[in-house]
Amino acid sequence: MIVLLVIVALFGEAGEVGVRTESPAPAGLAWIGQTWQWREWSFSGWVGSRFLPLSFHRASLKLSWTGPNSSFSAEGVVLGSGRLDFFLSGSAKGHMVLQGLTLSGQVGGKGGLVAVNIAPFGFLTTWAILSLETDDFSGELSLEGPSPWQTGVRLESGPVALSLGSSFSLTISSGENEWNTTTLVQLWPKPLQTHTLRWAVPDREFHLTLHSSGQVWCRVSVTKEGWTVSAFFSLASLRLTQTVFEVVRNF
C-alpha cells in the first residue's frame, strides 16, 4: 500500500506525499495530496492509509473559491469506518484605514452533515472578528457560536498580549535573530504556565515547550530540496511518553 501511494504521487505529480510513525502505541500513516488551481478556483484531494495496522484511514475532496474579500468551499470526507461527512464554509472580510488606524472585520461560518450515510445530523458554527490596529497597539473582539455563544478579547502592545474569554491569560514574547521565546501565564480558569523556546532558520527549526505540570514537548525539523524530516518528543516527569517521526515530500 505504501509503495502504491508513492508511485501514484510521483507519476501524478502530487502536491505532497508523507509518512508518519508514532509510539508507544505502534501506529503509522501514509498519505498523498494534490491541489489543482484555476484562477480563483482550486480543487484538492487527499487520501491516507494506516499501515500499523494496515487499513484505510481517510479521503477527502474539496472545491474552493477565493476572491479578494470573500471565500467559499465545499468538502466531502470518507472515513475508514465508512462514514461520509459533507461540509460547507464561507467567509467575508473588509477593512478601512483612518489616519494611521486600521479597522478590519471578518465574518464566516461552517456547516454540514455528519454521518450522511449512517445517522445524519447537522451542525452550524458562525464567527465574527472585529480588529483595530495602530503602529504600537492592536485589539481584537471575537464572537463564535451559536451553541453556546462565546466572546473573546485580545489586546496586544509590543511584546505583551492580554487575552480575555474562555480563559484569562498574559503572553510575553521576545526574540532576536533566529531565537524567540514566549511565556504564557494563565490565571483563569486554571492557573498554569508554559515557556517556549524556538530557533528557526530557513531550512531548520527547533521548538522546546515546558509546561508547569511538568510536561515537556520538543520538535525538530529539517527541510531540504522539497523534503521535510521532523521528530516530536513528549515527556512527563522526565519519562518519554510519545514520539512521532515524519517525512514529507512536496512536489
Side-chain angles (χ1 to χ4, degrees):
M1 176 62 72
I2 302 173
V3 175
L4 178 61
L5 290 177
V6 173
I7 293 174
V8 171
L10 292 175
F11 284 91
E13 296 184 355
E16 178 182 278
V17 58
V19 178
R20 180 169 66 237
T21 61
E22 302 179 27
S23 63
L29 179 67
W31 70 90
I32 60 174
Q34 171 70 60
T35 299
W36 294 266
Q37 187 80 34
W38 183 72
R39 295 185 180 179
E40 296 88 1
W41 292 90
S42 66
F43 180 74
S44 60
W46 189 96
V47 60
S49 175
R50 295 196 180 278
F51 56 87
L52 292 173
L54 181 62
S55 62
F56 169 70
H57 171 59
R58 181 177 179 269
S60 66
L61 293 175
K62 185 175 183 179
L63 178 66
S64 304
W65 177 86
T66 303
N69 298 306
S70 59
S71 63
F72 170 83
S73 68
E75 182 179 13
V77 178
V78 180
L79 302 180
S81 62
R83 194 183 84 184
L84 175 63
D85 301 339
F86 181 71
F87 307 105
L88 292 173
S89 61
S91 64
K93 62 181 180 180
H95 77 280
M96 61 173 59
V97 179
L98 298 172
Q99 297 180 349
L101 185 150
T102 301
L103 183 66
S104 59
Q106 302 179 42
V107 294
K110 182 176 183 178
L113 286 173
V114 177
V116 175
N117 57 333
I118 303 175
F121 66 92
F123 77 95
L124 174 65
T125 300
T126 60
W127 53 268
I129 299 176
L130 180 65
S131 59
L132 179 150
E133 185 175 350
T134 65
D135 292 337
D136 53 3
F137 172 83
S138 66
E140 181 180 283
L141 173 66
S142 62
L143 177 66
E144 184 177 348
S147 55
W149 287 104
Q150 295 183 348
T151 59
V153 176
R154 180 178 174 85
L155 306 174
E156 184 172 347
S157 178
V160 181
L162 178 67
S163 298
L164 305 170
S166 58
S167 65
F168 177 26
S169 62
L170 182 70
T171 303
I172 302 174
S173 303
S174 63
E176 184 176 352
N177 299 325
E178 302 92 359
W179 294 92
N180 179 272
T181 60
T182 303
T183 296
L184 182 145
V185 180
Q186 179 177 290
L187 303 177
W188 183 86
K190 180 181 179 180
L192 61 84
Q193 295 184 37
T194 61
H195 306 276
T196 301
L197 173 67
R198 178 175 180 265
W199 174 80
V201 293
D203 60 347
R204 285 165 291 173
E205 195 168 331
F206 170 79
H207 283 254
L208 178 66
T209 299
L210 309 178
H211 194 278
S212 55
S213 64
Q215 291 182 293
V216 180
W217 298 278
C218 178
R219 185 180 186 274
V220 181
S221 66
V222 177
T223 301
K224 186 175 182 180
E225 297 179 353
W227 291 90
T228 300
V229 179
S230 61
F232 171 84
F233 306 93
S234 175
L235 300 93
S237 301
L238 299 180
R239 296 177 57 185
L240 190 64
T241 57
Q242 184 184 21
T243 60
V244 179
F245 295 97
E246 186 175 282
V247 179
V248 177
R249 175 71 164 103
N250 292 305
F251 295 89

Coordinates of all heavy atoms in Angstrom, one line a residue, residues 65-116:
W65 N -13.4 28.4 -3.7 CA -13.3 29.7 -4.5 C -12.8 30.8 -3.5 O -13.3 30.9 -2.4 CB -14.7 30.0 -5.0 CG -14.7 31.3 -5.8 CD1 -14.4 31.6 -7.1 CD2 -15.0 32.6 -5.2 NE1 -14.5 32.9 -7.4 CE2 -14.9 33.6 -6.3 CE3 -15.4 33.1 -4.0 CZ2 -15.1 34.9 -6.1 CZ3 -15.6 34.4 -3.8 CH2 -15.5 35.3 -4.9
T66 N -11.8 31.5 -4.0 CA -11.3 32.6 -3.2 C -11.2 33.9 -4.0 O -10.6 34.0 -5.0 CB -9.8 32.3 -2.7 OG1 -9.9 31.0 -2.0 CG2 -9.3 33.4 -1.8
G67 N -12.0 34.9 -3.5 CA -12.0 36.2 -4.1 C -11.2 37.2 -3.3 O -10.6 36.9 -2.2
P68 N -11.2 38.5 -3.7 CA -10.4 39.5 -3.0 C -10.8 39.6 -1.5 O -10.0 39.9 -0.6 CB -10.7 40.8 -3.8 CG -11.1 40.3 -5.1 CD -11.8 39.0 -4.9
N69 N -12.2 39.6 -1.3 CA -12.7 39.8 0.1 C -13.6 38.7 0.6 O -14.3 38.9 1.6 CB -13.4 41.1 0.2 CG -12.5 42.3 -0.2 OD1 -11.4 42.5 0.4 ND2 -12.9 43.1 -1.1
S70 N -13.7 37.6 -0.1 CA -14.6 36.5 0.3 C -14.1 35.2 -0.2 O -13.2 35.1 -1.1 CB -16.0 36.8 -0.1 OG -16.0 36.8 -1.6
S71 N -14.5 34.1 0.5 CA -14.2 32.7 0.1 C -15.3 31.8 0.4 O -16.2 32.1 1.2 CB -12.9 32.3 0.8 OG -13.1 32.2 2.2
F72 N -15.3 30.6 -0.4 CA -16.3 29.6 -0.2 C -15.7 28.3 -0.5 O -14.8 28.1 -1.3 CB -17.5 29.9 -1.1 CG -18.5 28.8 -1.2 CD1 -19.5 28.6 -0.2 CD2 -18.4 27.8 -2.2 CE1 -20.4 27.6 -0.3 CE2 -19.3 26.8 -2.3 CZ -20.3 26.6 -1.3
S73 N -16.1 27.2 0.2 CA -15.6 25.9 0.0 C -16.7 24.8 0.3 O -17.5 25.0 1.1 CB -14.3 25.6 0.8 OG -14.6 25.5 2.2
A74 N -16.6 23.7 -0.4 CA -17.4 22.6 -0.2 C -16.5 21.4 -0.1 O -15.6 21.2 -1.0 CB -18.4 22.4 -1.3
E75 N -16.7 20.5 0.9 CA -15.8 19.4 1.1 C -16.5 18.1 1.5 O -17.5 18.2 2.2 CB -14.8 19.7 2.2 CG -13.8 18.7 2.5 CD -12.8 19.1 3.6 OE1 -13.1 20.1 4.3 OE2 -11.8 18.4 3.8
G76 N -16.1 17.0 0.9 CA -16.7 15.7 1.3 C -15.6 14.8 1.8 O -14.4 14.8 1.3
V77 N -15.9 14.1 2.9 CA -14.9 13.3 3.6 C -15.4 11.9 3.8 O -16.5 11.7 4.3 CB -14.5 13.9 5.0 CG1 -13.5 13.1 5.7 CG2 -14.0 15.3 4.8
V78 N -14.6 10.9 3.5 CA -14.9 9.5 3.8 C -13.9 9.0 4.8 O -12.7 9.1 4.6 CB -14.9 8.6 2.5 CG1 -15.2 7.2 2.9 CG2 -15.8 9.2 1.5
L79 N -14.4 8.4 5.9 CA -13.5 7.9 7.0 C -13.4 6.4 6.8 O -14.1 5.7 6.1 CB -14.1 8.2 8.4 CG -14.3 9.7 8.7 CD1 -14.9 9.9 10.0 CD2 -13.0 10.5 8.5
G80 N -12.4 5.9 7.5 CA -12.1 4.4 7.4 C -13.3 3.6 7.9 O -13.4 2.4 7.5
S81 N -14.1 4.1 8.8 CA -15.3 3.4 9.3 C -16.4 3.3 8.3 O -17.4 2.6 8.5 CB -15.8 4.1 10.5 OG -16.2 5.4 10.2
G82 N -16.2 4.0 7.1 CA -17.3 4.1 6.1 C -18.2 5.3 6.2 O -19.0 5.5 5.4
R83 N -18.0 6.1 7.3 CA -18.8 7.3 7.5 C -18.5 8.3 6.4 O -17.3 8.6 6.1 CB -18.5 7.8 8.9 CG -19.6 8.9 9.3 CD -19.2 9.4 10.7 NE -18.2 10.5 10.6 CZ -17.7 11.1 11.6 NH1 -17.9 10.7 12.8 NH2 -16.8 12.1 11.4
L84 N -19.5 9.0 6.0 CA -19.4 10.1 5.0 C -19.9 11.4 5.6 O -21.0 11.5 6.1 CB -20.2 9.8 3.7 CG -20.3 10.8 2.6 CD1 -18.9 11.1 2.1 CD2 -21.3 10.4 1.5
D85 N -19.0 12.4 5.5 CA -19.3 13.8 6.0 C -19.3 14.8 4.9 O -18.5 14.6 3.9 CB -18.3 14.2 7.1 CG -18.3 13.3 8.3 OD1 -19.3 12.5 8.5 OD2 -17.3 13.3 9.0
F86 N -20.1 15.8 5.0 CA -20.1 16.9 4.0 C -20.2 18.2 4.7 O -20.9 18.4 5.6 CB -21.4 16.7 3.1 CG -21.5 17.7 2.0 CD1 -20.6 17.7 0.9 CD2 -22.4 18.8 2.1 CE1 -20.7 18.7 -0.1 CE2 -22.5 19.7 1.1 CZ -21.6 19.7 0.0
F87 N -19.3 19.1 4.2 CA -19.1 20.4 4.9 C -19.2 21.6 3.8 O -18.7 21.4 2.7 CB -17.8 20.6 5.6 CG -17.5 19.4 6.5 CD1 -16.6 18.4 6.2 CD2 -18.2 19.4 7.8 CE1 -16.3 17.4 7.1 CE2 -17.9 18.3 8.6 CZ -17.0 17.3 8.3
L88 N -19.8 22.7 4.3 CA -19.8 23.9 3.5 C -19.3 25.0 4.4 O -19.7 25.1 5.6 CB -21.2 24.3 3.1 CG -21.9 23.4 2.0 CD1 -23.4 23.8 1.8 CD2 -21.2 23.5 0.7
S89 N -18.4 25.9 3.9 CA -17.9 27.0 4.7 C -17.7 28.2 3.8 O -17.6 28.1 2.6 CB -16.6 26.6 5.3 OG -15.6 26.3 4.4
G90 N -17.8 29.4 4.4 CA -17.6 30.6 3.7 C -17.2 31.8 4.6 O -17.4 31.7 5.9
S91 N -16.6 32.8 4.1 CA -16.2 33.9 4.9 C -16.1 35.2 4.0 O -16.0 35.1 2.8 CB -14.8 33.6 5.6 OG -13.8 33.5 4.6
A92 N -16.2 36.3 4.7 CA -16.0 37.6 4.0 C -15.3 38.5 5.0 O -15.4 38.4 6.2 CB -17.4 38.2 3.7
K93 N -14.5 39.5 4.4 CA -13.7 40.4 5.2 C -13.7 41.8 4.5 O -13.9 41.9 3.3 CB -12.3 39.9 5.3 CG -11.5 39.7 4.0 CD -10.1 39.2 4.3 CE -9.4 39.0 2.9 NZ -8.0 38.5 3.1
G94 N -13.3 42.8 5.3 CA -13.2 44.1 4.8 C -12.4 44.9 5.7 O -12.2 44.6 6.9
H95 N -11.8 46.1 5.3 CA -11.0 46.9 6.2 C -11.0 48.4 5.6 O -11.3 48.6 4.5 CB -9.6 46.4 6.3 CG -8.8 46.7 5.1 ND1 -8.8 46.0 3.9 CD2 -7.8 47.7 4.9 CE1 -8.0 46.5 3.1 NE2 -7.3 47.5 3.6
M96 N -10.7 49.3 6.6 CA -10.6 50.7 6.2 C -9.4 51.3 7.0 O -9.1 50.8 8.1 CB -11.9 51.4 6.4 CG -12.3 51.4 7.9 SD -13.8 52.5 8.1 CE -15.0 51.8 7.0
V97 N -8.8 52.3 6.5 CA -7.7 53.0 7.1 C -8.1 54.4 7.4 O -8.5 55.1 6.5 CB -6.4 52.9 6.3 CG1 -5.3 53.6 7.0 CG2 -6.0 51.5 6.0
L98 N -7.9 54.9 8.6 CA -8.3 56.2 9.0 C -7.2 56.8 9.9 O -7.0 56.5 11.0 CB -9.6 56.3 9.8 CG -10.9 55.8 9.1 CD1 -12.0 55.6 10.1 CD2 -11.2 56.7 8.0
Q99 N -6.4 57.7 9.3 CA -5.3 58.5 10.0 C -4.4 57.5 10.8 O -4.3 57.7 12.0 CB -6.0 59.5 10.9 CG -6.8 60.6 10.1 CD -7.4 61.6 11.0 OE1 -7.4 61.5 12.2 NE2 -7.9 62.7 10.4
G100 N -3.9 56.5 10.2 CA -2.9 55.6 10.8 C -3.6 54.5 11.6 O -2.9 53.7 12.2
L101 N -4.9 54.5 11.6 CA -5.6 53.4 12.3 C -6.3 52.5 11.3 O -7.0 53.0 10.4 CB -6.7 54.1 13.3 CG -7.5 53.1 14.2 CD1 -7.8 53.8 15.5 CD2 -8.7 52.6 13.5
T102 N -6.1 51.2 11.4 CA -6.7 50.2 10.5 C -7.8 49.5 11.2 O -7.5 48.9 12.3 CB -5.6 49.3 10.0 OG1 -4.6 50.0 9.3 CG2 -6.2 48.3 9.0
L103 N -9.0 49.5 10.7 CA -10.1 48.8 11.2 C -10.5 47.8 10.3 O -10.8 48.1 9.1 CB -11.3 49.8 11.5 CG -12.5 49.2 12.1 CD1 -12.2 48.8 13.6 CD2 -13.7 50.3 12.1
S104 N -10.6 46.5 10.7 CA -11.0 45.4 9.8 C -12.0 44.5 10.5 O -12.1 44.4 11.7 CB -9.7 44.6 9.4 OG -9.1 44.1 10.5
G105 N -12.7 43.8 9.6 CA -13.7 42.9 10.2 C -13.8 41.7 9.3 O -13.5 41.7 8.1
Q106 N -14.2 40.5 9.9 CA -14.3 39.3 9.2 C -15.5 38.6 9.8 O -15.8 38.6 11.0 CB -13.1 38.4 9.4 CG -11.8 39.0 9.0 CD -10.6 38.0 9.2 OE1 -10.7 36.8 9.0 NE2 -9.5 38.5 9.7
V107 N -16.3 37.9 8.9 CA -17.4 37.1 9.3 C -17.3 35.8 8.5 O -16.8 35.7 7.4 CB -18.8 37.8 9.1 CG1 -18.9 39.0 10.0 CG2 -19.0 38.1 7.6
G108 N -17.8 34.7 9.1 CA -17.7 33.4 8.5 C -18.6 32.4 9.1 O -19.1 32.6 10.2
G109 N -18.7 31.3 8.5 CA -19.5 30.2 9.1 C -19.1 28.9 8.4 O -18.6 28.8 7.3
K110 N -19.4 27.8 9.1 CA -19.2 26.4 8.6 C -20.3 25.6 9.1 O -20.7 25.6 10.3 CB -17.9 25.9 9.1 CG -17.5 24.5 8.6 CD -16.2 24.0 9.0 CE -15.8 22.6 8.4 NZ -14.5 22.2 8.7
G111 N -20.9 24.8 8.2 CA -22.0 23.9 8.5 C -21.9 22.7 7.6 O -21.1 22.5 6.7
G112 N -22.7 21.7 7.9 CA -22.7 20.5 7.2 C -23.5 19.4 7.8 O -24.2 19.5 8.8
L113 N -23.3 18.2 7.2 CA -24.0 17.0 7.7 C -22.9 16.0 8.0 O -22.0 15.7 7.2 CB -24.9 16.4 6.6 CG -26.2 17.1 6.4 CD1 -27.0 16.5 5.2 CD2 -27.1 17.0 7.7
V114 N -23.0 15.4 9.2 CA -22.0 14.4 9.6 C -22.7 13.0 9.6 O -23.9 12.9 9.9 CB -21.5 14.7 11.1 CG1 -20.6 13.6 11.6 CG2 -20.8 16.0 11.1
A115 N -22.0 12.0 9.2 CA -22.5 10.6 9.1 C -23.7 10.6 8.1 O -24.8 10.1 8.5 CB -22.9 10.0 10.4
V116 N -23.6 11.2 6.9 CA -24.7 11.3 6.0 C -25.3 9.9 5.7 O -26.5 9.8 5.5 CB -24.2 12.0 4.7 CG1 -25.2 12.0 3.6 CG2 -23.6 13.4 5.0

